[in-house]
Amino acid sequence: AATTAAIFSLENVNGFTVSSDSNAFVSRSMVTEERNRKSTLLHMVANPIESSSSSTKAAKSKIPVSKYPTARGSEVDSRKIVSGTPLKAIRLSHILFASEDLANQSLNQLRSASISFDDLALQISNCAETRDHGGSIGWVSVVSSDENEDKNEHLDPILPAEARNEVLGLSAKPGDIVSVQSSRGYHLVQFLDVMVDVRKMAQLKMKNRARFTENDDGPKGILGGALSLDESERPKTLTYKVETMGCQMNIADSERMEGQLQNLGIQPLSEEDEQNKKIKPDLILLNTCSIRDHAEQKVYSYIGPHAKRKREGEDVTIVVAGCVAQQEGEALLRRAPEVDLVMGPQYANRIADLLEDVSNGNQVVATEASHIMEDSTKPRRTSTVAAWVNVIYGCNERCTYCIVPTTRGVEQSRPPQSIMEEVEELVSQGYKEVTLLGQNIDAYGRDMIPKRKFSDLLRTVGSVPGLERLRFVTSHPKYMSLGVIDAVAETPAACESFHVPFQSGSNEVLEAMGRGHSREKFLQIVDRIRTRLPDASITADVIVGFPGETEEQFEDTLSLMEEVVFDSVNTAAYSPRPNTPAAEWTNQLSEEVKMNRLRRINELNLKHAAQRRARMQDRTVEVLVEERNVKVPTQVMGRTTQGYIVYCDGDINEIKGQLIQVKIEECQTYYLKGTRVD
């Protein structure tokens, strides 16, 4: 979820720098249930209105209604929302038991995460055909109603037809484990992945344009049909350029989309070619963020020069992905008809399938709700030391200011096995640090059958041999359990760093926001962290100038910051976003009031950030070296377990990816400097 901000301060949280004109941090603030609309509005009317603003009118833009549920009490079960999804196949694994009691006991073991599905299958499954492979059945075809042929007869000796048909008839999602009976015994069947026919879900519009000019002797680019040729037969090497806006989730999505583009034989435009203005990419991919005010206008402005290239006859493919794409949908094509593909974030793993339709001369819009599918290609990681790993997509909360549930959909947790496989592969490739990602990461597993706990996932991932550091973002005070804090304290690889957005220090404002937690609950979490991990860093997000916020309520936020003394806080002035209840309220505050409060809270934030880092003076700390200091090439940059940036002298070619000891000699507001020691 996200803060709805127009203005941000310069900060660094968990190693992620956010500039004053960036939205990079916003997805870290989490969302919760929207309170009863009537009582909320009554509360807001009761609050004094400091001033009015014309910004409410701007919020009432003609934005298409999201396909995802947004109202309080609406459906959040992804199984029901995507029940009509055209599935081609489901990947399954199973464990075979002789008795129902043993199957139930084993299901409880899996629920508690005391053992993995693979290991349990290896130990006790009665299925000799799959036991040594962790119970893997593989892909099972989904037979449509107009097909009579059973494409899965070869699986009869493993999962007989009666059980198989029962499983295929269930409304389940990846991560679910169900119990079925067959002539062989009792099966625990795990849903690992789905294969969705995304091309059937997308809207296609044939473009009336000539493929080639009369002088062309063959396809030049994607729109010319070069993508349909083998890479060796193409008249030139196709290139792409990706621009990513917004949060870490968008960065991770871009990495996956780049991996698929390269799998298609499309290469990134080199820095040299990019500097040479004469050479331009064949494909432009803009991965958008809708949190920030005027986000849509920024997207159209960016598209402009590339649309001009197309109007002038160049064979350039324009793709708009991410949250603005989901929000705008087909309306984006009406305003920018040069765009070839509009795709929501749920299709990030399937851009290759959609580009096939683009190469056939279609404009494509893919924004329908869908299961999140595993990615069979490898992401193009931006780092060789630290990597992002998604564990849960979407958000079921209904904060009254937040647009994310309407653009990223409801919660869909990834199966633990898929997460473990990705982390293990990263470690085998030499990665030292992994950050687990989720809009509401503490909600991980609550959408699965049976339900799982994020604290269990932390312990399991943290136990991967060779993983030096494990981080996670973002926590929600409503769902963050004491068990998560205990898991960090008891897992050696887990970093003592917590990002827990509080958004406001006033209980009245928190209620109007629909956050679902109180000031007191947040302070209990802080107290638990300080007790178990006294040296831990705590960072957060906060919104000032929320509709109806009084001066006294704003001062409650300042007092909470004084009580906690955060290592860093992402600060934001409220701005109304489309399809959010708060955008419709009449008690908007003036820009003058919001800017005044933002200035005051930023001053306090800078003071606390400097104070927290000053405690590191003369300490010797462990630093994971990540990259060269771009401003001082003879120095390297790394981070402490708390997420503090550290600079020291060193050869990046020799020590990149290593854990080194650094004695801190200088403490600045957002970074430390020191000398490497033996």
Side-chain angles (χ1 to χ4, degrees):
T3 52
T4 56
I7 299 172
F8 308 106
S9 63
L10 180 62
E11 322 239 77
N12 185 282
V13 177
N14 290 337
F16 197 81
T17 302
V18 181
S19 67
S20 58
D21 62 351
S22 165
N23 222 11
F25 70 85
V26 277
S27 74
R28 291 178 175 149
S29 56
M30 309 316 301
V31 294
T32 184
E33 292 183 19
E34 180 187 344
R35 290 290 181 263
N36 182 282
R37 179 73 181 270
K38 182 177 180 180
S39 63
T40 300
L41 287 174
L42 286 174
H43 161 74
M44 297 306 295
V45 171
N47 275 342
I49 300 177
E50 296 195 21
S51 62
S52 62
S53 171
S54 61
S55 57
T56 304
K57 296 180 181 179
K60 296 180 179 179
S61 56
K62 296 180 180 179
I63 301 297
V65 178
S66 170
K67 294 180 174 62
Y68 288 109
T70 59
R72 181 186 67 85
S74 59
E75 186 59 64
V76 294
D77 186 344
S78 64
R79 299 171 190 82
K80 297 178 181 178
I81 293 173
V82 299
S83 60
T85 299
L87 295 180
K88 298 170 69 176
I90 302 173
R91 187 159 68 93
L92 304 174
S93 59
H94 82 136
I95 305 174
L96 180 63
F97 301 91
S99 72
E100 186 176 11
D101 287 342
L102 186 55
N104 290 334
Q105 291 174 24
S106 298
L107 186 60
N108 289 330
Q109 277 187 285
L110 294 169
R111 181 185 291 111
S112 65
S114 59
I115 190 171
S116 70
F117 195 96
D118 290 6
D119 289 341
L120 189 61
L122 189 63
Q123 291 178 19
I124 65 173
S125 179
N126 289 338
C127 181
E129 293 85 353
T130 63
R131 181 173 53 235
D132 294 339
H133 304 286
S136 176
I137 295 174
W139 287 101
V140 180
S141 297
V142 176
V143 181
S144 62
S145 58
D146 58 346
E147 294 177 344
N148 297 320
E149 180 185 359
D150 186 354
K151 300 178 181 179
N152 303 306
E153 288 183 351
H154 63 287
L155 296 176
D156 286 349
I158 299 172
L159 188 64
E162 66 271 21
R164 192 169 63 243
N165 292 335
E166 182 178 350
V167 169
L168 293 177
L170 294 173
S171 177
K173 60 176 290 295
D176 286 351
I177 301 175
V178 299
S179 177
V180 295
Q181 185 179 0
S182 78
S183 56
R184 297 190 70 197
Y186 296 86
H187 305 256
L188 288 183
V189 180
Q190 178 178 220
F191 289 73
L192 292 172
D193 197 4
V194 293
M195 187 183 298
V196 177
D197 192 341
V198 296
R199 298 177 66 188
K200 285 187 177 179
M201 298 183 67
Q203 302 175 49
L204 305 182
K205 178 182 178 183
M206 179 63 72
K207 296 206 73 173
N208 295 320
R209 60 183 173 211
R211 288 290 185 86
F212 324 110
T213 64
E214 292 182 0
N215 297 325
D216 280 337
D217 56 1
K220 300 296 185 183
I222 293 171
L223 299 182
L227 191 63
S228 62
L229 302 176
D230 290 337
E231 194 172 349
S232 60
E233 299 174 341
R234 295 173 188 170
K236 71 168 188 171
T237 300
L238 299 179
T239 59
Y240 70 83
K241 181 181 178 182
V242 175
E243 290 288 341
T244 304
M245 302 174 175
C247 65
Q248 307 100 308
M249 296 290 285
N250 268 17
I251 295 173
D253 286 347
S254 290
E255 290 180 343
R256 296 189 181 281
M257 287 189 284
E258 284 201 64
Q260 291 188 57
L261 292 177
Q262 292 192 19
N263 196 53
L264 290 172
I266 312 173
Q267 299 303 314
L269 189 70
S270 67
E271 292 184 12
E272 182 180 349
D273 287 343
E274 190 169 351
Q275 291 173 1
N276 181 357
K277 302 294 184 181
K278 295 180 181 179
I279 301 179
K280 298 176 182 178
D282 300 284
L283 183 146
I284 293 293
L285 169 58
L286 180 60
N287 195 7
T288 61
C289 174
S290 61
I291 301 307
R292 187 177 175 183
D293 197 15
H294 307 304
E296 304 82 19
Q297 289 77 5
K298 279 196 67 176
V299 170
Y300 292 119
S301 296
Y302 182 88
I303 292 172
H306 306 292
K308 183 174 181 290
R309 288 175 57 195
K310 181 172 288 189
R311 289 194 299 271
E312 292 174 349
E314 290 189 48
D315 192 355
V316 56
T317 300
I318 303 173
V319 179
V320 181
C323 293
V324 171
Q326 180 68 32
Q327 171 188 297
E328 296 283 288
E330 194 172 354
L332 198 150
L333 293 184
R334 288 195 291 271
R335 183 164 174 183
E338 296 83 5
V339 171
D340 299 285
L341 170 58
V342 177
M343 51 181 285
Q346 66 272 29
Y347 292 96
N349 290 351
R350 289 297 179 270
I351 186 174
D353 297 322
L354 299 173
L355 280 176
E356 185 174 343
D357 281 323
V358 171
S359 69
N360 289 331
N362 295 300
Q363 280 183 305
V364 182
V365 178
T367 54
E368 290 291 336
S370 172
H371 286 296
I372 302 294
M373 294 165 280
E374 290 296 317
D375 191 356
S376 58
T377 60
K378 300 294 182 288
R380 181 177 184 261
R381 309 278 182 182
T382 55
S383 168
T384 58
V385 177
W388 311 105
V389 174
N390 295 94
V391 301
I392 181 172
Y393 301 91
C395 186
N396 288 357
E397 306 311 309
R398 295 294 178 266
C399 292
T400 57
Y401 56 82
C402 185
I403 194 174
V404 166
T406 73
T407 57
R408 282 199 170 265
V410 297
E411 291 165 2
Q412 295 190 58
S413 300
R414 288 181 68 194
Q417 180 177 326
S418 299
I419 297 168
M420 289 295 292
E421 288 173 355
E422 184 173 354
V423 173
E424 288 168 352
E425 183 171 358
L426 286 168
V427 172
S428 72
Q429 295 171 358
Y431 284 86
K432 304 296 183 181
E433 177 179 296
V434 163
T435 300
L436 305 180
L437 292 181
Q439 257 86 24
N440 186 357
I441 203 162
D442 299 283
Y444 174 81
R446 69 172 178 173
D447 59 317
M448 292 181 176
I449 299 174
K451 292 184 178 181
R452 321 288 167 77
K453 296 179 181 177
F454 178 59
S455 57
D456 292 333
L457 181 68
L458 267 180
R459 295 178 192 274
T460 303
V461 174
S463 67
V464 172
L467 181 64
E468 300 286 354
R469 288 187 174 180
L470 176 63
R471 303 184 188 275
F472 62 94
V473 288
T474 295
S475 294
H476 193 303
K478 178 181 177 182
Y479 296 102
M480 187 174 182
S481 69
L482 303 183
V484 169
I485 301 169
D486 292 340
V488 173
E490 296 162 10
T491 303
C495 292
E496 47 191 345
S497 175
F498 298 86
H499 187 73
V500 194
F502 65 96
Q503 304 301 10
S504 173
S506 163
N507 282 337
E508 292 84 1
V509 174
L510 288 172
E511 183 178 359
M513 289 178 168
R515 289 286 293 168
H517 68 86
S518 64
R519 173 192 178 108
E520 292 73 25
K521 170 67 183 295
F522 183 84
L523 291 174
Q524 287 174 5
I525 293 171
V526 171
D527 181 66
R528 180 70 169 191
I529 294 172
R530 299 283 194 227
T531 300
R532 294 280 345 239
L533 295 156
D535 211 28
S537 64
I538 304 177
T539 58
D541 300 341
V542 65
I543 300 172
V544 300
F546 189 75
E549 181 189 62
T550 66
E551 175 64 24
E552 181 181 3
Q553 290 166 343
F554 170 67
E555 289 176 358
D556 285 342
T557 296
L558 296 180
S559 71
L560 185 145
M561 290 180 64
E562 290 280 17
E563 187 169 349
V564 175
V565 186
F566 292 96
D567 293 82
S568 185
V569 178
N570 293 317
T571 61
Y574 170 79
S575 67
R577 301 305 298 131
N579 297 324
T580 60
E584 305 292 331
W585 295 343
T586 59
N587 52 354
Q588 308 288 326
L589 303 190
S590 69
E591 290 302 311
E592 181 181 1
V593 169
K594 289 192 284 189
M595 293 307 100
N596 175 268
R597 292 178 183 175
L598 185 64
R599 176 187 57 79
R600 290 156 62 191
I601 202 168
N602 282 341
E603 290 174 355
L604 183 60
N605 184 30
L606 290 170
K607 171 187 170 184
H608 288 167
Q611 179 181 333
R612 289 292 290 169
R613 283 155 186 77
R615 68 195 173 100
M616 309 303 286
Q617 183 70 40
D618 297 326
R619 282 202 204 181
T620 297
V621 297
E622 183 184 74
V623 175
L624 176 61
V625 179
E626 296 184 22
E627 58 189 40
R628 191 191 308 275
N629 181 354
V630 293
K631 293 184 178 180
V632 185
T634 58
Q635 292 184 344
V636 296
M637 185 280 285
R639 302 179 197 275
T640 67
T641 55
Q642 293 90 353
Y644 298 156
I645 288 179
V646 178
Y647 297 109
C648 70
D649 289 336
D651 186 343
I652 190 63
N653 296 320
E654 292 183 1
I655 59 176
K656 186 174 185 178
Q658 292 185 20
L659 292 168
I660 63 174
Q661 298 295 314
V662 178
K663 184 175 181 180
I664 302 303
E665 298 167 341
E666 180 182 338
C667 301
Q668 296 295 330
T669 304
Y670 286 117
Y671 66 88
L672 309 170
K673 284 186 178 181
T675 301
R676 183 183 178 185
V677 298
D678 292 333

